[in-house]
Amino acid sequence: MPLVARLGSGIPLVARDRELDRLRAALAQAGEGTAGAVLLAGDAGVGKTRLIDELAASAGDTIVLMGRCLDAGETGLPYLPFAEALGKLQDVSNRPALAMLLPQLALPAEREPGTEGMIAPSLIPGRRPEQDVGQLQLFDAVLGLLTDLSERQRVLLVVEDLHWADASTRYLLSFLLSRLRSQRLLVVGTYRADDLHRSHPLRPLLSELVRLPAVDRLDLTPFNAADARRFVEALSDDLPEDVVQQVAERSEGNAFFAEELIAVATCDDPRSLPSALADVLLSRVERLSPEAQHAVRVASAWGRRVRHYRLHEVSSMADLAFDTALRELVQHHLLVVSDDEVYTFRHALVREAVYRDLLPGERVRLHAAYARHLTQRLDERGSAAALSHHAFESHDLALALQASIEAAKEAERAGAPAESLRYLEKALNLWNAVPETDRPSDVDESVLLRRASWVAGTAGQPERAVAFARSATKAISAEQTPEEAAEIWLRLSQALSILDGNEEEHFLVLGKALDLVRDREPSPTRARVFAGKASSLRQQRKDAQAREHAELAIADGQTANAPGAVADGLGTLAILDDHASQPEQARDSFERAIDCAREVGAFNNELRAWYYYGLMHYDRGDLAEAARVYNLAGNRAKETGLTWSMYGLEIRILQVLVHYYIGDWEYAAWASEPPGMAVSSTVLARLASASTHLTVSRGDLAESERVITKLRSDWHRDIQIALINGGTGAELALWRGRPELAVERVTDALEWARKLGGPWMLAGIRIGAVGVAAHAEIAAKARRKRDAEAEAQAVAAGHELAEHVRLTARNGKPRSSTLGPEGRAWLARALAEESRLTGAGDPGLWQAAIDEFAYGVPYEQALCRWRLGEALLGADRRDEAAEQLRLADEVATRLGAKPLGEAVAAAAKRARITLRADEPVRDQVDLFTPRERDVLGLVAAGRTNREVGEELYISEKTVSVHLSRIMAKLGASRRAEAVAIAYDRGLLE
């Protein structure tokens, strides 16, 4: 046997100390409770795997989990690297959702698209993407497993070759990395930087991930000339000096290329080295025995990794010859054998070179052999997808069509909608190329299109979902039953409901589905159509007709065994009961809907009922009960693995808002922590938007400004983002002393709401109230500057906006028949703010606002008490003002509402009111009294006597008296001289 060169793994690591130190530092940081991720980029063969192996070897007391992505066609398993990494763990049976990931566990039963196993968007507030429940449960289960492991021991998770990652793997990786917080977990992903062409699917993911605070990128560059020579010298055995230099130069700093060049130089004439890497690799193959060459060529047609029994059967070699050939390949470092009887090409570049060297006919024959092998093993996980690939490559289109359909079903059951869509598209492309007699008999083109529409929706491609569904309606044939045709029209209506601007077509299409089955016998299809129609009518405020169709859906569902439709109908009835101001009946209906959905495992329907159940209490001002319901709902979402599902996130958002309102800001802060810092999706943007209530009120003004500014570009995703941030953005501007910006933000939000929701959206009451406050601040500023024209403009604009608030309260359409406590409270706040347009404000109106917010919103009450205190000071009712300011200060201190606390303290200081008994006592006598110091400070800021008096709630004459005393104490004859002397003596800061 020819000589065999050493591998780089047999020598100490060369010239990678800096990169290894960074990885070790990240792992050490993870061990201290700061989870992180490193994206390791480098050209093929530059040494990424060797660096990772060194990190793992030195990791010490660490659970090391490693998985590798494979090129398309090499496997039928989505999430392969995670399945490989987690597959050897024990005790995963307590997480049933992992069955979709791990081949050793049974997949869930097959689901019919559009049924209770998936999320239909019928009752979702606003436009939402469809989602696959199974995928979300899987993601949550993987995150939970890694989190649990990290609580016991530090964890290192490595995912190699991300440039080959399937879409589902990319989604799961993004999910995990955006949720890295305090787990003792480091995730390392490697990818070939030289493979990322402009349209490569990994590129947008990398752009998103590198913006996450927990993610770092590390570029592994080729060796420089000196390091390349060191590497070759360490690896070579007695090669001549000129050959060492030649290898170092030709390797171009690539460790793998250098290893292969040395292997050729060791075994052949060292003076005639090939120049191209492919030639180097093939020259090594050509030195092998014919049997070994045959085995490695057969292996290359399968992929980078192939099992022993599979390679043996397809190669058709005798046992002894096969074993001899494999031993030769392993000894020459072309293949590596693992404990689970899997042969792996030492480097993907070796497999690529061998496969590309196959002749066309040879390639087809090998793929055909693998296809025949797979048809005997269709019970193996992933075999259908692999068969689809090999049948297609061997030009057996009929077999490829059948296998693609089966692969799509298996991928869907595995919670991988993106892969399911890929196989469905492949089947649709093959459909017309396969003779009708050779097509599957249990499916037709319209069924494939309907399934593709659903999967496209759950894979986050709503436009394609509509396109597939429209094509499905065109493919309806006369042979199909009315129920089959109705399912297709129902699917189109669901897809249309996701995209804005399709309301009329959605209603029309749903009507076509209903016309097909209205007079038919009860069936699951008719039950689902009735349920969809009920939801549609409810959205159109046609409550009587909606109730009728919901009851029909429940009756049909019970008769035809369609429990999902029953739960859907019960949920609609509960919402209608709430609309009809029948809280007791609505509560019973919601609890029935929750119990029914839980009983049949319709998790999304259950969470939807929980969401609206809590919303009923929220709208009625029963915030404590709303908090209780949403906490139960959040726990249920976690139990079902749907914390980050559509309704899981809706529940989380309401948890943020309700706990913020009731003053439990620590809980609100926990609930508002986003699953990722990016706000690229609607739901994440809404969660970030809701969190701005807390950050603004707590005084995180710079961070709030950053988030609110960034979220402005997300307003188009959901009107709720605009409605929340229109208000919080204006409040932020007011706390920063920029009332003009506050007015701009209020105007922007109201115009957006008017464009999308009409002129009387009830959220306009709150936004308008903040806008009136901004106009009051502008008017006060104009008065201090004696700018009568600007003051008049601000007052007029404030009155106009206040009138809009009154009209909105009168003409808006609340979910129940009358304006709820929240709307009434903000209306009272707006009227009180209006009284500030011309002065300190009306104490009676501010007291009314305090009373309205008494339904359970302590922060807003405290803010109104602050304004009431100022109004009382303006009315010379100092003792009453002191009481209100102390109450406001107490709440601000308890909540940690820094801007409000500072505002209250400033008002108290101007009025010389002591807020707390523990306020510090001066250690030395001040030259000035507190009031004189206040006056001097304002004069130094350029205020006139009148402006000083307005700000300190004293007369202009009193200001003159204080100034006379100040000048006498300083020996000054003028205001300006007094200010200058005070600065010189350090009496002013």
Side-chain angles (χ1 to χ4, degrees):
M1 184 175 290
L3 294 173
V4 178
R6 282 197 298 168
L7 294 177
S9 56
I11 62 172
L13 194 65
V14 174
R16 298 300 189 198
D17 291 343
R18 182 183 66 86
E19 293 86 353
L20 185 57
D21 287 345
R22 282 184 61 183
L23 288 172
R24 285 172 173 166
L27 185 59
Q29 192 174 24
E32 295 171 358
T34 302
V38 178
L39 299 174
L40 182 60
D43 295 345
V46 79
K48 299 184 292 296
T49 298
R50 174 66 197 281
L51 186 63
I52 293 300
D53 289 343
E54 287 289 329
L55 174 66
S58 62
D61 185 22
T62 303
I63 300 174
V64 179
L65 307 172
M66 305 186 75
R68 173 178 282 123
C69 306
L70 296 180
D71 199 356
E74 293 187 40
T75 177
L77 291 175
Y79 308 112
L80 178 70
F82 290 99
E84 182 182 353
L86 304 178
K88 295 181 181 179
L89 291 174
Q90 304 297 319
D91 192 26
V92 294
S93 57
N94 61 335
R95 298 182 186 274
L98 290 178
M100 292 177 274
L101 181 71
L102 304 177
Q104 66 266 31
L105 301 179
L107 278 173
E110 186 176 348
R111 306 175 300 199
E112 175 65 15
T115 58
E116 52 272 8
M118 303 179 184
I119 291 177
S122 57
L123 292 180
I124 299 167
R127 303 294 173 180
R128 301 290 182 277
E130 298 163 296
Q131 292 177 294
D132 184 83
V133 169
Q135 185 175 55
L136 292 163
Q137 289 177 316
L138 171 60
F139 286 10
D140 200 75
V142 173
L143 176 62
L145 176 61
L146 292 173
T147 300
D148 288 350
L149 289 173
S150 71
E151 290 177 355
R152 300 195 298 266
Q153 198 173 355
R154 186 173 63 180
V155 178
L156 171 62
L157 172 64
V158 179
V159 182
E160 292 197 75
D161 297 329
L162 287 173
H163 50 280
W164 284 326
D166 58 87
S168 296
T169 295
R170 295 195 299 270
Y171 295 155
L172 178 51
L173 182 70
S174 176
F175 180 92
L176 293 177
L177 265 56
S178 63
R179 287 155 179 81
L180 294 177
R181 293 293 182 273
S182 59
Q183 305 98 327
R184 293 197 299 159
L185 170 66
L186 176 66
V187 181
V188 180
T190 72
Y191 64 93
R192 288 188 193 174
D194 51 336
D195 269 16
L196 300 190
H197 51 78
R198 179 173 296 180
S199 59
H200 196 287
L202 186 62
R203 286 179 70 96
L205 175 62
L206 293 175
S207 299
E208 173 188 335
L209 294 181
V210 295
R211 292 196 295 267
L212 297 175
V215 178
D216 191 16
R217 172 174 167 153
L218 178 59
D219 290 310
L220 196 63
T221 58
F223 295 136
N224 59 33
D227 291 334
R229 184 175 179 86
R230 282 176 53 207
F231 180 77
V232 174
E233 287 175 344
L235 196 60
S236 60
D237 291 318
D238 301 326
L239 285 177
E241 183 67 21
D242 60 333
V243 175
V244 169
Q245 182 63 30
Q246 185 180 8
V247 169
E249 290 175 355
R250 288 196 183 181
S251 71
E252 299 178 346
N254 187 291
F256 176 69
F257 196 2
E259 290 177 359
E260 294 301 315
L261 285 169
I262 290 171
V264 172
T266 301
C267 304
D268 294 336
D269 182 1
R271 311 291 175 176
S272 57
L273 293 176
S275 57
L277 178 58
D279 294 335
V280 173
L281 298 174
L282 291 175
S283 68
R284 292 234 289 132
V285 173
E286 289 166 358
R287 294 197 310 273
L288 303 173
S289 65
E291 293 79 8
Q293 289 189 45
H294 174 66
V296 77
R297 291 176 186 278
V298 173
S300 74
W302 177 263
R304 186 175 178 186
R305 299 190 302 180
V306 58
R307 291 197 172 275
H308 176 93
Y309 75 87
R310 198 185 314 278
L311 181 58
H312 189 189
E313 181 176 324
V314 174
S315 67
S316 301
M317 296 174 66
D319 292 350
L320 181 60
F322 180 74
D323 291 341
T324 302
L326 266 294
R327 182 173 291 106
E328 185 178 353
L329 291 170
V330 170
Q331 288 178 340
H332 278 78
H333 307 309
L334 290 171
L335 295 182
V336 178
V337 63
S338 61
D339 295 338
D340 52 355
E341 297 185 350
V342 173
Y343 292 99
T344 304
F345 280 91
R346 187 174 72 83
H347 199 285
L349 292 173
V350 177
R351 183 258 167 183
E352 292 168 15
V354 175
Y355 183 72
R356 288 170 183 167
D357 191 54
L358 295 176
L359 296 173
E362 183 181 14
R363 189 175 299 172
V364 169
R365 287 193 299 274
L366 288 176
H367 283 298
Y370 277 117
R372 289 191 298 272
H373 164 80
L374 288 166
T375 55
Q376 306 303 313
R377 291 172 170 78
L378 292 178
D379 57 335
E380 293 181 4
R381 188 90 161 259
S383 60
L387 178 58
S388 169
H389 169 70
H390 290 288
F392 183 80
E393 292 296 328
S394 63
H395 309 319
D396 189 343
L397 302 187
L399 182 58
L401 172 61
Q402 179 65 55
S404 297
I405 294 171
E406 293 303 317
K409 293 179 182 178
E410 185 172 305
E412 189 178 331
R413 291 164 61 202
E419 275 54 61
S420 180
L421 179 60
R422 180 162 64 91
Y423 290 117
L424 284 169
E425 288 183 301
K426 187 174 184 179
L428 288 166
N429 289 333
L430 289 169
W431 187 263
N432 290 324
V434 174
E436 187 173 349
T437 55
D438 294 336
R439 296 172 187 165
S441 59
D442 58 343
V443 70
D444 59 28
E445 188 177 16
S446 67
V447 172
L448 289 180
L449 287 165
R450 178 169 68 93
R451 188 177 287 272
S453 172
W454 179 263
V455 174
T458 60
Q461 302 179 45
E463 292 84 2
R464 299 188 69 201
V466 171
F468 280 124
R470 283 190 174 132
S471 297
T473 62
K474 297 173 183 176
I476 294 175
S477 64
E479 289 78 22
Q480 289 178 305
T481 66
E483 283 76 13
E484 290 171 337
E487 288 285 1
I488 294 171
W489 287 108
L490 178 61
R491 175 58 211 150
L492 178 56
S493 75
Q494 292 171 338
L496 287 168
S497 69
I498 298 303
L499 299 174
D500 284 322
N502 295 303
E503 289 79 5
E504 290 188 12
E505 186 181 0
H506 162 70
F507 298 141
L508 178 65
V509 165
L510 193 53
K512 290 183 178 180
L514 185 57
D515 290 341
L516 285 166
V517 295
R518 189 193 307 273
D519 299 325
R520 301 279 291 179
E521 292 296 316
S523 66
T525 296
R526 196 172 81 156
R528 286 193 285 269
V529 173
F530 277 142
K533 186 65 174 177
S535 298
S536 175
L537 290 166
R538 183 195 62 78
Q539 291 168 354
Q540 298 175 71
R541 298 296 182 104
K542 298 178 180 178
D543 288 4
Q545 297 176 53
R547 182 178 295 276
E548 177 187 353
H549 284 80
E551 290 170 347
L552 289 171
I554 294 169
D556 266 22
Q558 291 171 338
T559 301
N561 191 27
V566 174
D568 196 344
L570 286 171
T572 300
L573 283 181
I575 297 169
L576 292 172
D577 290 338
D578 180 24
H579 286 185
S581 297
Q582 299 174 340
E584 295 301 321
Q585 190 170 333
R587 184 193 63 191
D588 293 342
S589 296
F590 277 123
E591 292 178 355
R592 285 175 59 206
I594 290 168
D595 291 342
C596 176
R598 179 177 299 194
E599 184 178 342
V600 300
F603 300 130
N604 174 65
N605 282 334
E606 180 187 347
L607 293 182
R608 185 186 65 194
W610 277 114
Y611 169 77
Y612 280 102
Y613 189 18
L615 198 61
M616 178 184 75
H617 294 294
Y618 175 87
D619 286 345
R620 297 182 183 280
D622 190 354
L623 297 185
E625 183 63 14
R628 185 191 71 83
V629 169
Y630 281 127
N631 289 350
L632 291 173
N635 293 338
R636 184 60 181 155
K638 183 177 181 180
E639 290 171 11
T640 57
L642 296 176
T643 299
W644 305 112
S645 71
M646 193 179 311
Y647 277 108
L649 274 163
E650 291 291 344
I651 289 166
R652 181 61 69 93
I653 288 167
L654 263 296
Q655 284 182 297
V656 175
L657 296 178
V658 171
H659 284 275
Y660 167 77
Y661 291 144
I662 66 176
D664 188 355
W665 284 12
E666 289 303 318
Y667 191 101
W670 168 81
S672 68
E673 184 178 354
M677 297 307 293
V679 291
S680 57
S681 72
T682 300
V683 286
L684 297 185
R686 285 199 60 209
L687 186 60
S689 177
S691 73
T692 60
H693 279 292
L694 190 63
T695 57
V696 170
S697 298
R698 276 185 160 176
D700 299 331
L701 303 186
E703 175 64 12
S704 299
E705 190 71 57
R706 185 191 69 79
V707 172
I708 288 171
T709 301
K710 185 175 183 180
L711 284 169
R712 179 59 184 85
S713 62
D714 288 289
W715 280 20
H716 68 283
R717 297 182 182 277
D718 193 298
I719 194 171
Q720 293 296 327
I721 301 170
L723 298 180
I724 291 176
N725 284 144
T728 58
E731 289 171 342
L732 171 63
L734 286 174
W735 287 128
R736 304 191 88 177
R738 302 176 65 188
E740 295 82 7
L741 176 59
V743 169
E744 290 178 16
R745 286 175 168 170
V746 165
T747 303
D748 190 17
L750 290 177
E751 181 58 35
W752 193 274
R754 188 178 296 114
K755 181 171 61 176
L756 295 184
W760 312 123
M761 289 198 71
L762 292 177
I765 299 176
R766 169 179 166 265
I767 297 171
V770 180
V772 176
H775 284 299
E777 292 298 316
I778 295 172
K781 184 188 295 186
R783 278 194 298 275
R784 288 193 295 269
K785 294 182 178 180
R786 299 184 178 181
D787 188 341
E789 182 180 354
E791 180 184 0
Q793 290 177 351
V795 170
H799 284 309
E800 182 181 351
L801 186 53
E803 181 62 20
H804 172 75
V805 171
R806 280 188 283 267
L807 291 173
T808 301
R810 187 181 311 149
N811 299 323
K813 294 182 178 180
R815 279 168 38 83
S816 57
S817 57
T818 58
L819 190 64
E822 183 180 19
R824 294 196 302 270
W826 280 101
L827 174 61
R829 164 84 184 272
L831 299 181
E833 294 287 3
E834 185 181 22
S835 73
R836 292 180 56 237
L837 290 169
T838 54
D842 183 336
L845 291 175
W846 280 112
Q847 184 61 55
I850 292 170
D851 294 341
E852 290 291 354
F853 278 114
Y855 75 93
V857 190
Y859 173 77
E860 295 299 339
Q861 264 197 314
L863 190 146
C864 292
R865 291 188 187 281
W866 162 49
R867 290 301 190 189
L868 174 57
E870 292 188 324
L872 290 168
L873 287 171
D876 200 22
R877 294 158 62 180
R878 189 174 183 279
D879 291 342
E880 295 173 74
E883 180 184 0
Q884 295 300 323
L885 291 176
R886 286 168 186 149
L887 290 172
D889 178 70
E890 179 184 337
V891 173
T893 302
R894 174 170 58 83
L895 295 179
K898 187 177 179 181
L900 176 59
E902 291 175 350
V904 172
K909 182 179 180 182
R910 290 194 300 270
R912 290 184 290 178
I913 292 173
T914 302
L915 293 175
R916 309 184 196 103
D918 60 349
E919 285 189 355
V921 179
R922 293 194 304 271
D923 294 329
Q924 59 186 25
V925 177
D926 197 338
L927 179 63
F928 305 118
T929 67
R931 177 60 82 200
E932 288 170 352
R933 180 166 291 282
D934 292 339
V935 169
L936 182 60
L938 291 172
V939 170
R943 303 281 201 275
T944 65
N945 285 8
R946 180 187 173 191
E947 291 168 345
V948 172
E950 289 179 351
E951 192 151 344
L952 297 179
Y953 308 108
I954 57 179
S955 68
E956 188 174 351
K957 182 179 179 180
T958 304
V959 174
S960 296
V961 171
H962 285 304
L963 271 176
S964 298
R965 292 173 179 169
I966 290 169
M967 289 188 288
K969 290 179 179 180
L970 294 174
S973 58
R974 297 178 287 111
R975 288 160 49 101
E977 184 182 2
V979 170
I981 293 172
Y983 274 122
D984 288 342
R985 295 184 183 179
L987 299 175
L988 279 176
E989 296 179 358

